[in-house]
Amino acid sequence: MNWTTNLNLGAVHTSGHFEEKPRNGLSRTGHTVVAVFLGIILVFGFLNNLIVLILFCKFKALRNPVNMILLNISASDLLVCVSGTTLSFASNISGSLSGKMKRSVLDMLCLRCSP
């Protein structure tokens, strides 16, 4: 027998006698696990990048060209943690992005024109 497993954790028998339809997306438990990990990434990423920015502002000896590049990376990573990780966290807590949340995200990103 030839059994294959897809990324959605659904088994499919390829001989044609039995075929289980693959599930779309994660289960509720899967979304909760992803939300927990995203929450941890959000908290630690925000705090670590905030510490870098505070130390850079506090100590003038750190202000050299190489550290300016690291400051730029830290500032952009802080923005990604605040915007992107927060949206992913919220969508995994609710199970998926709701229609209202999708529209507000698209409006925020100016990708949707509304009269």
Side-chain angles (χ1 to χ4, degrees), residues 55-77:
L55 289 176
F56 189 81
C57 291
K58 188 173 182 178
F59 298 108
K60 293 188 184 232
L62 293 175
R63 297 180 188 175
N64 60 43
V66 173
N67 285 344
M68 290 296 282
I69 295 171
L70 294 176
L71 177 71
N72 187 10
I73 292 170
S74 181
S76 64
D77 191 37

Side-chain angles (χ1 to χ4, degrees), residues 20-40:
E20 180 184 330
K21 290 187 178 182
R23 291 179 277 174
N24 292 331
L26 294 173
S27 66
R28 182 71 207 137
T29 305
H31 280 288
T32 304
V33 169
V34 171
V36 167
F37 282 113
L38 283 173
I40 292 169

Side-chain angles (χ1 to χ4, degrees), residues 33-96:
V33 169
V34 171
V36 167
F37 282 113
L38 283 173
I40 292 169
I41 290 169
L42 174 65
V43 170
F44 284 118
F46 180 79
L47 291 177
N48 285 333
N49 287 308
L50 188 64
I51 288 170
V52 168
L53 294 174
I54 290 170
L55 289 176
F56 189 81
C57 291
K58 188 173 182 178
F59 298 108
K60 293 188 184 232
L62 293 175
R63 297 180 188 175
N64 60 43
V66 173
N67 285 344
M68 290 296 282
I69 295 171
L70 294 176
L71 177 71
N72 187 10
I73 292 170
S74 181
S76 64
D77 191 37
L78 184 71
L79 292 173
V80 167
C81 279
V82 169
S83 60
T85 308
T86 305
L87 288 173
S88 296
F89 178 75
S91 70
N92 277 293
I93 284 187
S94 67
S96 67

Side-chain angles (χ1 to χ4, degrees), residues 102-114:
K102 284 180 186 177
R103 284 190 299 274
S104 64
V105 169
L106 290 175
D107 286 341
M108 183 179 69
L109 296 174
C110 300
L111 295 176
R112 183 176 153 229
C113 298
S114 58

